[in-house]
C-alpha cells in the first residue's frame, strides 16, 4: 500500500516534469478515443436507422369482400403459429373502408366513386409482420397455398428494400472509413505512449540505477511508469467524454430530423448510457496505454 | 560469506574479463581487491551483486548460490549487500536525508522505519548536521559518505565498495577508509576494490591481486604487489 502510494507520487512527479510531453500524449489519446467514439456513434446511428426501417416493413393480405370473418380469422390463427411470424393484425372490412376513405379524402374521383357504391367494396385485411426481414418470402409461400387463392385478392409487401440497401451501403462506407482512421490513431497512440514512457525512463535512468542497486523489486521500478500511462488514459478519457457530450448535443437535433420518425436522440442516448460509454472509453484508453508502456518498460528496464 | 569457485566471465563477443577465479571471504573480513585497470575488479563486484552472471563456475553469497539467480530474487540479494559504486552517485534533486531515505522507500519500508533508520545511518558517517543539504553543497568526501550511509540502511552483512576513493584527495580518502574500517568493526564484511597503493599498504589487511582476469596472489596482511 505504501509502495503503491510512493509509485503514484513518483508517477505524478514525472508527469509534471515533462508537461509538454504529457500534454502531447494526452492529445493523441483524446483524438484516438474520439475517433473510436465516432466509429461507435456511426455504427449506432446506422444500426438504429436500419432497424427502424425494417420495423416498418409489413405484408398486407387483402381478401375479397365475400370472404367471411371466420375464414380470415382461421388463416390469422394459422399464421400466428408460424415461427417466422411476429404478429398478425386483423383489419375488418369496415375499418379497412374507413382507412381507405381517410387516406383518399383529398381525391375527389375516389370519394365520388365510393359515394355511388352502396356496398363496402373492400374486404378484410391481414397485416403480417415477420420476425426478420428475410422471413417474408417464407410467409408469402404459405399464403400462396392454392386453397387460399380464390379468397385472396392481393398480397402487397411494402417495399423498403431499396431504402434499406441504400442505408446499409451508406453506413457501411462511413463505418469503414472511420474504422480505418481510428485504427491509424490507435497505432499512433501506441507509438506515442511508448515513446513518452521511454523518454521518462531515460530521464529517470539514475534513479532507476540506484533503485536496482538498493534492492527495489522489479515491480516497484516498473510500477510508476505503468501508473503514469494509466494517468494519461484516465485524463484523456475525461477530456474525450467532456468534448463528446457537447458535440453530440449539438448534432443531435440534426440527426433526429434527418432520421425523422425513427426515434433517434443521440444526446439522450448518451446521458442514459453515460457510465457504459465512459467505461468503454476508459477501457480502450487503459488497454492502449498499458500495452505500450508495458512494452517500453519490458524493453528498457530489463530485470 | 562469499565463495568464488572457478568463475569465468566473458563479455560478448570475446573479452575474457575473469578467468577461472577462486577464493572465499569469511564473515567479518576486510578484503582489498587490487589490480591494474581493466583486470576485472569491477566485473567481480558486479558478479557478487548479480548484476552479471558468470559464464562458468559458481558464486555463493551467504550460503546462497547466485550463479543462476532468478531476476525476481535479485532484490532480496541486493538488500543484503551494501553497494558503493563509482557510477552510482546521489540524486542531485534530493537532499542528503532524501537520498538516504530513497533506498528504504523503494524497498517498501514503512515511514516510521525510515524516520528511525535514516538518522542512524547519517550519524555513523558523521553527517547528521548536514541532512538538508543538496549533493552539490557537499565536498566529494562528504558525498561519498552519504553514499555509504545509503548503502547501510538495509543493515547489510556485506559492503562492496568499488574504488570509493577514486576522485578524492588524500585527506578525504583517509576519511572514507576509516569509515569502512569502522563499519567492518561492527561485524560487516567489507570488500574494497581499489588500485591505490598507499591505502592497501597502510591497511595491513588481506589483499587479493588480480591480473588479466586471474587471481595471482592472495595474502593475509598483504601489500600492493604490482
Ligand atoms: N559491459 C561490458 N561489456 C563488454 N566488456 C566489458 C564490460 N565491462 C567491462 N568490460 C571489459 O572487461 C574487462 C574488465 O573490466 P573491469 O571489470 O571494469 O575492470 P577493472 O574494474 O579492473 O578496471 C575490460 O577489458 C573491459 O573493457
Ligand atoms: Mg573498475
Amino acid at each position: 500500500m505504501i509502495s503503491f502510494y510512493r509509485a503514484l507520487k513518483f508517477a505524478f512527479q514525472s508527469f509534471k516534469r515533462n508537461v509538454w510531453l504529457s500534454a502531447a500524449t494526452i492529445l493523441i489519446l483524446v483524438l484516438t478515443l474520439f475517433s473510436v467514439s465516432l466509429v461507435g456513434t456511426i455504427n449506432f446511428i446506422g444500426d438504429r436507422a436500419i432497424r427502424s426501417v425494417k420495423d416498418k416493413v409489413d405484408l398486407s393480405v387483402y381478401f375479397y369482400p365475400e370472404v367471411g370473418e371466420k375464414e380470415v380469422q382461421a388463416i390469422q390463427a394459422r399464421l400466428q403459429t408460424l415461427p417466422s411470424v411476429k404478429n398478425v393484425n386483423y383489419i375488418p372490412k369496415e375499418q379497412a373502408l374507413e382507412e381507405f376513405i381517410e387516406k383518399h379524402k383529398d381525391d375527389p374521383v375516389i370519394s365520388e366513386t365510393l359515394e355511388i357504391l352502396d356496398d363496402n367494396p373492400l374486404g378484410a385485411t391481414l397485416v403480417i409482420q415477420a420476425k426478420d426481414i428475410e422471413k417474408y418470402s417464407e410467409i408469402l409461400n404459405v399464403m400462396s397455398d392454392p386453397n387460399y387463392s380464390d379468397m385472396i385478392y392481393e398480397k402487397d409487401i411494402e417495399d423498403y428494400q431499396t431504402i434499406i440497401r441504400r442505408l446499409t451501403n451508406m453506413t457501411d462506407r462511413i463505418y469503414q472509413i472511420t474504422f480505418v482512421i481510428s485504427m491509424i490513431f490507435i497505432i499512433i497512440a501506441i507509438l506515442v505512449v511508448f515513446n513518452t514512457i521511454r523518454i521518462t525512463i531515460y530521464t529517470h535512468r539514475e534513479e532507476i540505477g540506484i533503485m536496482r542497486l538498493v534492492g527495489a523489486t522489479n515491480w516497484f521500478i516498473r510500477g510508476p511508469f505503468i501508473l503514469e500511462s494509466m494517468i494519461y488514459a484516465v485524463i484523456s478519457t475525461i477530456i474525450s467524454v467532456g468534448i463528446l457530450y457537447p458535440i453530440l448535443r449539438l448534432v443531435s437535433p440534426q440527426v433526429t430530423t434527418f432520421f425523422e420518425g425513427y426515434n433517434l436522440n443521440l444526446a439522450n442516448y448518451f446521458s442514459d448510457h453515460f457510465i457504459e460509454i465512459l467505461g468503454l472509453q476508459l477501457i480502450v484508453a487503459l488497454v492502449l496505454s498499458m500495452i505500450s508502456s508495458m512494452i517500453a518498460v519490458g524493453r528498457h528496464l530489463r530485470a | 560469506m562469499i565463495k568464488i569457485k572457478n568463475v569465468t566471465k566473458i563479455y560478448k563477443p570475446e573479452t575474457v574479463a575473469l578467468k577461472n577465479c577462486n577464493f572465499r571471504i569469511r564473515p567479518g573480513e576486510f578484503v582489498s581487491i587490487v589490480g591494474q585497470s581493466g583486470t576485472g575488479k569491477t566485473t567481480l563486484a558486479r558478479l557478487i551483486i548479480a548484476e552479471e552472471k558468470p559464464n562458468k563456475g559458481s558464486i555463493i553469497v551467504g550460503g546462497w548460490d547466485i550463479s543462476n539467480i532468478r531476476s525476481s530474487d535479485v532484490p532480496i540479494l541486493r538488500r543484503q549487500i551494501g553497494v558503493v559504486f563509482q557510477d552510482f552517485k546521489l540524486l542531485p534533486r534530493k537532499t542528503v536525508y532524501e537520498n538516504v531515505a530513497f533506498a528504504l522507500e523503494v524497498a517498501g519500508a514503512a515511514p516510521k522505519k525510515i524516520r528511525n533508520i535514516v538518522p542512524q545511518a547519517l550519524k555513523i558517517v558523521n553527517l547528521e548536521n548536514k541532512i538538508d543539504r543538496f549533493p552539490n553543497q557537499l565536498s566529494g568526501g562528504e558525498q561519498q559518505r552519504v553514499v555509504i550511509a545509503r548503502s547501510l540502511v538495509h543493515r547489510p552483512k556485506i559492503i562492496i565498495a568499488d574504488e570509493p576513493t577514486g576522485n578524492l584527495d588524500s585527506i578525504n580518502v583517509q576519511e572514507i577508509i576509516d569509515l569502512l574500517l569502522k563499519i567492518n568493526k561492527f561485524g560487516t564484511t567489507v570488500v574494497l576494490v581499489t588500485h591505490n597503493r598507499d591505502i592497501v599498504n597502510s591497511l595491513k589487511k588481506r589483499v587479493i591481486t588480480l591480473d588479466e582476469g586471474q587471481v595471482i596472489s592472495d595474502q593475509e596482511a598483504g601489500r600492493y604487489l604490482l
Side-chain angles (χ1 to χ4, degrees):
Chain A
M1 196 55 225
I2 185 79
S3 293
F4 177 77
Y5 169 75
R6 280 178 195 142
L8 200 65
K9 205 172 93 183
F10 193 90
F12 268 110
Q13 270 169 3
S14 85
F15 180 89
K16 276 190 291 189
R17 203 176 290 180
N18 293 316
V19 197
W20 288 109
L21 195 63
S22 311
T25 312
I26 287 172
L27 179 71
I28 291 293
L29 274 173
V30 169
L31 286 176
T32 308
L33 286 179
F34 204 74
S35 62
V36 171
S37 311
L38 201 62
V39 177
T41 313
I42 284 165
N43 212 13
F44 171 76
I45 295 177
D47 188 64
R48 275 299 161 95
I50 291 167
R51 210 191 310 162
S52 37
V53 174
K54 280 182 179 170
D55 274 350
K56 289 194 170 174
V57 177
D58 54 27
L59 167 67
S60 299
V61 179
Y62 302 100
F63 291 85
Y64 288 112
E66 309 83 66
V67 181
E69 192 176 319
K70 278 212 178 103
E71 284 161 297
V72 177
Q73 277 171 345
I75 296 175
Q76 180 187 20
R78 180 179 169 199
L79 281 170
Q80 269 161 344
T81 62
L82 294 179
S84 48
V85 170
K86 192 157 93 186
N87 71 65
V88 186
N89 204 2
Y90 170 66
I91 301 173
K93 303 179 182 197
E94 298 73 26
Q95 196 187 333
L97 182 63
E98 273 168 37
E99 278 173 15
F100 189 80
I101 294 171
E102 178 64 26
K103 199 167 162 189
H104 297 282
K105 65 173 184 250
D106 298 327
D107 190 333
V109 180
I110 291 181
S111 308
E112 271 170 39
T113 319
L114 280 173
E115 266 165 41
I116 297 167
L117 289 169
D118 264 352
D119 265 349
N120 180 354
L122 297 179
T125 311
L126 285 181
V127 180
I128 304 156
Q129 278 202 307
K131 288 210 173 108
D132 196 313
I133 197 143
E134 280 85 37
K135 296 283 161 63
Y136 282 101
S137 53
E138 220 171 277
I139 300 171
L140 277 172
N141 273 343
V142 175
M143 297 312 291
S144 306
D145 188 327
N147 289 333
Y148 298 153
S149 61
D150 45 357
M151 297 200 270
I152 293 172
Y153 159 70
E154 201 185 5
K155 296 185 286 262
D156 180 20
I157 180 154
E158 287 253 28
D159 191 13
Y160 287 98
Q161 294 290 16
T162 32
I163 301 181
I164 291 173
R165 207 175 308 124
R166 281 226 312 269
L167 262 178
T168 314
N169 278 347
M170 188 176 82
T171 52
D172 278 0
R173 183 89 38 83
I174 300 177
Y175 179 74
Q176 280 162 6
I177 294 170
T178 47
F179 183 80
V180 169
I181 292 176
S182 41
M183 271 325 201
I184 294 172
F185 270 119
I186 285 177
I187 291 167
I188 294 176
I190 289 180
L191 291 177
V192 167
V193 175
F194 172 82
N195 196 48
T196 304
I197 297 300
R198 216 180 50 143
I199 291 172
T200 317
I201 291 173
Y202 185 77
T203 17
H204 289 280
R205 63 196 182 286
E206 286 197 335
E207 262 140 303
I208 293 167
I210 292 167
M211 282 161 102
R212 285 154 51 85
L213 279 190
V214 298
T217 61
N218 281 331
W219 281 111
F220 189 90
I221 297 175
R222 292 164 175 217
F225 300 103
I226 292 170
L227 269 178
E228 187 183 335
S229 76
M230 289 167 75
I231 295 173
Y232 293 137
V234 171
I235 294 180
S236 27
T237 305
I238 294 170
I239 295 178
S240 155
V241 171
I243 297 176
L244 194 65
Y245 185 58
I247 289 187
L248 283 186
R249 282 198 73 120
L250 217 66
V251 300
S252 184
Q254 268 98 317
V255 174
T256 310
T257 348
F258 188 76
F259 293 102
E260 221 192 316
Y262 296 155
N263 185 25
L264 198 74
N265 190 322
L266 277 183
N268 283 352
Y269 186 84
F270 186 89
S271 335
D272 290 348
H273 297 78
F274 183 74
I275 300 294
E276 285 102 313
I277 291 171
L278 190 77
L280 214 66
Q281 295 220 5
L282 189 62
I283 288 171
V284 170
L286 278 178
V287 167
L288 272 184
S289 56
M290 281 173 69
I291 286 177
S292 27
S293 64
M294 296 262 206
I295 297 173
V297 160
R299 285 195 39 184
H300 297 281
L301 288 182
R302 76 181 173 91
Chain B
M1 186 97 286
I2 301 172
K3 264 188 242 173
I4 305 288
K5 278 199 286 197
N6 303 323
V7 167
T8 296
K9 174 68 190 175
I10 301 165
Y11 288 111
K12 281 173 202 160
E14 52 178 354
T15 312
V16 182
L18 290 174
K19 224 185 301 176
N20 206 24
C21 289
N22 279 291
F23 59 83
R24 45 195 302 182
I25 296 173
R26 288 175 299 275
E29 265 194 291
F30 190 117
V31 180
S32 304
I33 295 178
V34 303
Q36 275 161 354
S37 171
T39 52
K41 304 183 298 294
T42 298
T43 301
L44 197 54
R46 288 160 63 86
L47 284 168
I48 293 170
I49 60 165
E51 183 74 2
E52 297 282 354
K53 286 181 181 177
N55 297 75
K56 266 194 231 136
S58 60
I59 297 165
I60 294 158
V61 176
W64 181 9
D65 189 341
I66 59 158
S67 322
N68 286 303
I69 189 171
R70 284 208 315 250
S71 68
S72 57
D73 287 337
V74 170
I76 301 169
L77 175 74
R78 300 269 168 90
R79 289 176 202 180
Q80 296 171 32
I81 304 179
V83 180
V84 182
F85 268 23
Q86 289 160 295
D87 43 349
F88 287 103
K89 310 243 160 61
L90 301 170
L91 295 169
R93 288 164 178 267
K94 288 187 190 286
T95 64
V96 167
Y97 183 93
E98 287 165 348
N99 264 289
V100 177
F102 185 68
L104 284 165
E105 275 173 17
V106 301
K112 201 176 158 194
K113 185 177 172 191
I114 296 178
R115 280 196 300 273
N116 189 10
I117 290 183
V118 175
Q120 284 180 29
L122 286 167
K123 188 151 192 258
I124 291 173
V125 301
N126 275 327
L127 284 174
E128 66 267 48
N129 52 350
K130 294 187 175 165
I131 60 171
D132 290 326
R133 298 230 191 151
F134 286 89
N136 62 4
Q137 299 168 324
L138 298 175
S139 74
E142 286 170 334
Q143 285 181 26
Q144 198 62 291
R145 275 148 59 194
V146 180
V147 174
I148 292 173
R150 187 179 64 193
S151 76
L152 291 176
V153 290
H154 292 307
R155 305 188 194 285
K157 299 188 194 72
I158 304 169
I159 294 261
I160 295 188
D162 186 6
E163 316 249 9
T165 58
N167 308 316
L168 304 178
D169 54 48
S170 56
I171 300 169
N172 284 323
V173 168
Q174 199 50 52
E175 243 175 47
I176 298 297
I177 297 302
D178 288 344
L179 185 54
L180 289 175
L181 284 167
K182 178 169 148 192
I183 292 164
N184 179 241
K185 282 224 178 70
F186 298 158
T188 310
T189 309
V190 175
V191 179
L192 169 67
V193 174
T194 182
H195 60 243
N196 185 317
R197 174 187 302 268
D198 297 338
I199 295 173
V200 176
N201 289 342
S202 69
L203 272 171
K204 302 192 175 59
K205 298 269 187 189
R206 181 176 169 197
V207 177
I208 296 173
T209 309
L210 288 184
D211 190 34
E212 290 182 0
Q214 285 178 298
V215 177
I216 56 161
S217 111
D218 183 348
Q219 297 180 310
E220 294 296 332
R223 294 183 63 81
Y224 195 92
L225 291 177
L226 298 164

